[in-house]
Amino acid sequence: MTVDEAARVPVVIVGAGPVGVTAALLLARRGVRSVVLERHQDIYPLPRAVAGDDEIHRILQAAGAGEEFAAISRPAKGLRLLDARHRVMAEFRRTEHGHHGYPQTSMFDQPELERVLRDALARRPECELRAGVEVTGVGPHSTGPVRVTYRDEDGGGHELWADAVLGCDGANSLTREAIGGTWEDLRFEESWKVIDVDTTGPVRCWEGVDQVCDPARPATFMRVSENRYRWEFRLGEGQETVRELVAPWLPPSYAGDFEVVRETEYTFRARLADRWRSGRVFLLGDAAHLTPPFIGQGLCSGLRDAYNLTWKLARVLQQGGDERLLDTYESERKPHARHVVRLAVAMGWAMTGGQDGAAAIRRRVLGAACRIPGLTELAGRDLSPPLTAGPLVRRGARRGLAGTHCPQPWVSAGGRTRLDAVLGDSFAVLTAAEPGPSLTALAHGLGVHAVPVADLGDDGTLAAWLRAGHADAVLLRPDRVVLDVVPSGGRDFTSTAAWASLLHTTRSPAPSERTAPKSLLRSTT
């Protein structure tokens, strides 16, 4: 195949929403150039996603936008379940300092988040945004260059050849269609009215999310920012006005400012693409999965996709990583996304009561369950489960730390900062004691240092985490997932030979502006 080198780029990203732009920023941090193609000239101005967890805040930190996100977001207390008369059935509290070092739940306005990400994109010379263009074709889907065709606003046709294509183009993804992907229906579909309001009125709220478990009119309510509120109501037979719908929170007698920023109808669906990859073409975000909004994980899942894939792709393109490394994207993310979608469906049916004959029984069961001591605290824990065992998650008979995320405390090494700022963007080895020769050699082969946690000056979080996981050391992937462990009393990682071959091969990587230093992994293996 003859490729026009003038039109050759390492990565083409289809879609400049939060997932696509975050993927571009994460690639840029690793020196990988990308071109982002977006059909709109500017960001979509109306609110959509409004909630995120501490894990996505950590991902935005890795993308270089963590502080900016903190400035436009506000912590939320968690979730309350209310009955039809708005009496509290249960509270699921969220803390302001979660496992990843940020509030467990944050509220934000999506246009503000997108502006933060676009500004960060403009500061990165490795990224180029081409807005106002329509992608018309993606393919072929081999291990060779992928052709992407698009036309501009004047109708002119263009093409790019990419070493990889990331389809971040939403639920109606052209990229998914191009690779022959179809939807698996996870059996949830409901139509809801979504209302965003700006008002300084005396809105009754508790600084968290209220879910009204009323089969006649299930609803969700939350305060998004200082004067911005979101209501969601499942559509019924009535045609109430906005003021009638929100009357339980803001009396109709209120005559002050009340601006309806957006009033629209959505169909909430639960779907999963049957395939997320064909050759070097990948699906991310809503192109790969659709999650009902009841646990606020739709956007979170898309950003996890970007974090999981980008470091692997950079490793293959720049540092000679084996092509099989890219297979782990779908094998890790798809089961994880399926779990989150099913959890959202289960929470949706439990909270809204459903529309079938068993709704009353479910509501009684839910009410009884909420009174069980400790259950609400257990249900309020992190919604993101550990990754399943695989080539990059070396889990033994004892579950342990493999597949889980390393916590991110504040550390005092080199000044008070967050752990990830000290560890950088690559692999990391954390040890409970001074590392031995073999551990030092392996860390050197990965181009990192083995860091004793005692030297980091944290509050003891990391030492306690290692101790609880029965580990003397852990190998952290660039996405801060534990790849392998040195068990308590052991000397070496349990499965170095199984994963080292994926990270480095003898072949030459694709042409790149950066060249990785020669690895010692083959000798240590």
Side-chain angles (χ1 to χ4, degrees), residues 91-423:
E91 288 187 7
F92 302 90
R93 289 276 179 169
R94 309 291 276 172
T95 72
E96 290 199 24
H97 189 83
H99 185 78
H100 299 276
Y102 295 101
Q104 285 185 299
T105 299
S106 292
M107 311 303 296
F108 61 89
D109 185 45
Q110 182 169 333
E112 290 186 343
L113 170 61
E114 293 199 39
R115 181 57 62 198
V116 162
L117 293 173
R118 289 283 186 97
D119 290 345
L121 194 75
R123 296 192 294 268
R124 301 296 313 204
E126 305 91 343
C127 305
E128 179 186 352
L129 172 62
R130 299 183 186 179
V133 304
E134 180 184 1
V135 175
T136 55
V138 176
H141 319 125
S142 64
T143 55
V146 182
R147 182 171 179 257
V148 179
T149 57
Y150 67 94
R151 57 173 172 257
D152 56 30
E153 291 182 320
D154 297 327
H158 306 270
E159 71 174 28
L160 291 170
W161 291 88
D163 296 317
V165 174
L166 309 188
C168 307
D169 44 348
N172 299 317
S173 169
L174 177 144
T175 311
R176 185 181 61 250
E177 180 180 341
I179 67 172
T182 59
W183 283 125
E184 175 190 353
D185 191 347
L186 298 183
R187 300 183 180 181
F188 185 92
E189 185 169 323
E190 288 188 347
S191 296
W192 285 61
K193 180 187 287 289
V194 179
I195 303 166
D196 288 279
V197 168
D198 197 304
T199 180
T200 59
V203 180
R204 181 171 59 85
C205 66
W206 79 298
E207 303 302 330
V209 178
D210 278 343
Q211 179 65 51
V212 182
C213 304
D214 178 3
R217 177 63 79 190
T220 305
F221 164 70
M222 66 207 74
R223 181 183 180 189
V224 179
S225 60
E226 183 67 25
N227 299 320
R228 179 70 58 84
Y229 300 87
R230 157 86 47 101
W231 282 270
E232 299 170 355
F233 300 92
R234 191 173 68 195
L235 290 176
E237 296 180 359
Q239 297 294 326
E240 297 99 326
T241 66
V242 170
R243 290 304 297 268
E244 289 172 336
L245 288 170
V246 307
W249 294 271
L250 184 66
S253 59
Y254 174 70
D257 61 311
F258 187 85
E259 177 190 359
V260 178
V261 178
R262 183 185 65 154
E263 179 184 359
T264 189
E265 294 180 6
Y266 273 113
T267 299
F268 297 152
R269 295 184 173 92
R271 292 180 175 178
L272 201 67
D274 63 339
R275 59 190 309 190
W276 291 27
R277 177 193 180 194
S278 178
R280 288 284 187 85
V281 182
F282 304 86
L283 302 180
L284 296 81
D286 285 354
H289 42 76
L290 296 178
T291 308
F294 302 111
I295 56 174
Q297 288 291 300
L299 177 59
C300 299
S301 290
L303 295 185
R304 291 190 192 104
D305 295 342
Y307 206 21
N308 184 287
L309 176 60
T310 49
W311 76 263
K312 299 171 183 177
L313 185 58
R315 193 100 193 167
V316 171
L317 295 181
Q318 292 193 315
Q319 295 173 269
D322 193 284
E323 193 77 14
R324 293 174 298 156
L325 184 62
L326 301 178
D327 294 335
T328 65
Y329 166 61
E330 181 173 347
S331 67
E332 290 182 350
R333 285 295 307 136
K334 191 173 183 180
H336 195 277
R338 183 186 297 275
H339 170 89
V340 171
V341 172
R342 284 179 168 169
L343 181 60
V345 169
M347 292 288 282
W349 280 115
M351 292 190 294
T352 66
Q355 302 180 55
D356 58 13
I361 297 175
R362 281 196 298 272
R363 289 193 301 277
R364 286 197 294 269
V365 171
L366 175 63
C370 290
R371 292 190 291 272
I372 298 175
L375 183 61
T376 56
E377 288 78 7
L378 180 64
R381 291 182 182 176
D382 291 339
L383 298 173
S384 180
L387 296 182
T388 55
L392 297 178
V393 176
R394 308 311 302 175
R395 183 173 295 155
R398 176 183 289 176
R399 185 171 184 176
L401 298 178
T404 67
H405 282 89
C406 171
Q408 183 181 208
W410 287 93
V411 298
S412 58
R416 184 169 169 77
T417 186
R418 297 185 187 273
L419 174 66
D420 290 358
V422 174
L423 299 182

